[in-house]
Amino acid sequence: MRTLISIVAIVAGMTPAPASAAPLPEGSADHTAGSQILKHEGTGDLRADSESPPTEGKVPGMDVSSHQGDVDWKSAWDKGARFTYVKATEGVHYRNPKFTQQYNGSLNIGMIRGAYHFALPDRANGVQQANFFVENGGGWSPDGKTLPPALDMEYNPYGDTCYNMNQTAMTAWVKEFSDTVYARTKRYPAIYTSTNWWNKCVGGSVKFGDNNPLWIAHYSSRLGALPAGFDFHTIWQWQAAGLFPGDQNLFNGRFEQLQRIAAS
């Protein structure tokens, strides 16, 4: 049966999920952007009260999930946050129950916001997860207020670091997801990842940086090396906690540039 499923998926042009994926734990957790990176790579030289990296010419922002509950968006705005990513989905089984309050609330206070998907590549192929994401908050419109949809690629919360997939299979999975989001929204998704995880599990056989903005996770006062296939970064998640609810981010440019990314 598994062989037949694989043949059908290949004929349909999709990469089948590995057959070795274990069942999800009952009541599986809501994993956030960087939760597994923090677990595996630590906080570097940073503490919650650390000074931020140089912010001149940058735009401060944040990212949130259900863990933050109903976010006080006015407070975050008053403290200087100007953009946010909100978790929408995970795999093909989880929708953020706080998504509406977080996604609409950030917009209503004046922030530029976007949605992200926590990938579980061994649970379903890239097409299936991209469709689930787009249909549950991961859309995009050229309104100057919506960031590109984002794909969160990081350490497996349930087992093998690379989800029992080699670099060729993982690269194909990411490309499937990216191409499907583009077909449905006319916008390539940003890719959230860490350099260590990406270089180990995906590699540089495809230069995703040609189309996909990079949202890099690196908890340090200095950015460090970028993942293979990317020449520059768009957003840097530099701290897992701090001034704003959720993770702390910096957009690599001025607010006017951030607006342009949200409009084209």
Side-chain angles (χ1 to χ4, degrees), residues 11 127 148 175 191 215 259:
V11 170
V127 173
K175 192 170 187 309
I191 292 176
W215 177 12
Q259 288 177 309

Side-chain angles (χ1 to χ4, degrees), residues 43 48 51 59 72 76 81-82 85 90 93 99 105 107 116 130 170 179 182 186 211 218 223 226-227 237 248 260:
T43 58
E51 292 185 6
V59 181
D72 185 344
R82 292 296 180 264
Y85 265 109
E90 178 172 340
H93 70 283
F99 181 78
L107 173 68
Y116 78 86
M170 190 68 79
D179 290 348
Y182 181 81
K186 303 308 177 189
N211 292 317
H218 183 66
L223 180 58
L226 299 181
Q237 187 193 75
Q248 314 299 290
R260 286 200 295 271

Side-chain angles (χ1 to χ4, degrees), residues 104 139 196 211:
N104 294 343
N196 289 342
N211 292 317

Side-chain angles (χ1 to χ4, degrees), residues 102-205:
Q102 295 173 347
Y103 195 71
N104 294 343
S106 54
L107 173 68
N108 292 339
I109 203 65
M111 289 190 193
I112 296 175
R113 85 299 193 231
Y116 78 86
H117 173 80
F118 191 102
L120 295 176
D122 60 345
R123 308 294 167 169
N125 63 50
V127 173
Q128 293 166 330
Q129 292 197 40
N131 284 329
F132 182 72
F133 174 47
V134 171
E135 290 162 7
N136 291 281
W140 181 81
S141 58
D143 55 10
K145 302 173 183 178
T146 308
L147 292 168
L151 169 62
D152 180 352
M153 300 294 300
E154 59 182 280
Y155 298 84
N156 183 0
Y158 299 113
D160 178 74
T161 291
C162 298
Y163 300 84
N164 294 306
M165 296 168 70
N166 60 30
Q167 288 188 347
T168 299
M170 190 68 79
T171 297
W173 193 99
V174 174
K175 192 170 187 309
E176 278 182 353
F177 186 100
S178 177
D179 290 348
T180 303
V181 168
Y182 181 81
R184 297 199 57 178
T185 68
K186 303 308 177 189
R187 190 68 198 265
Y188 285 105
I191 292 176
Y192 169 93
T193 195
S194 77
T195 296
N196 289 342
W197 184 87
W198 184 270
N199 289 352
K200 176 180 175 62
C201 298
V202 184
S205 62

Side-chain angles (χ1 to χ4, degrees), residues 14-136:
M14 299 182 293
T15 300
S20 57
L24 288 167
E26 185 175 353
S28 58
D30 170 18
H31 301 102
T32 64
S35 58
Q36 305 309 302
I37 294 171
L38 182 65
K39 178 179 177 181
H40 287 267
E41 300 182 14
T43 58
D45 61 355
L46 293 176
R47 306 181 309 276
D49 60 350
S50 297
E51 292 185 6
S52 67
T55 59
E56 185 176 355
K58 316 288 185 186
V59 181
M62 53 198 277
D63 62 88
V64 296
S65 70
S66 69
H67 290 272
Q68 280 68 52
D70 289 337
V71 175
D72 185 344
W73 290 109
K74 185 179 186 305
S75 175
W77 176 269
D78 290 345
K79 291 176 182 178
R82 292 296 180 264
F83 73 92
T84 188
Y85 265 109
V86 176
K87 180 174 180 179
T89 52
E90 178 172 340
V92 290
H93 70 283
Y94 176 86
R95 303 173 184 87
N96 176 6
K98 294 295 182 179
F99 181 78
T100 299
Q101 191 277 341
Q102 295 173 347
Y103 195 71
N104 294 343
S106 54
L107 173 68
N108 292 339
I109 203 65
M111 289 190 193
I112 296 175
R113 85 299 193 231
Y116 78 86
H117 173 80
F118 191 102
L120 295 176
D122 60 345
R123 308 294 167 169
N125 63 50
V127 173
Q128 293 166 330
Q129 292 197 40
N131 284 329
F132 182 72
F133 174 47
V134 171
E135 290 162 7
N136 291 281

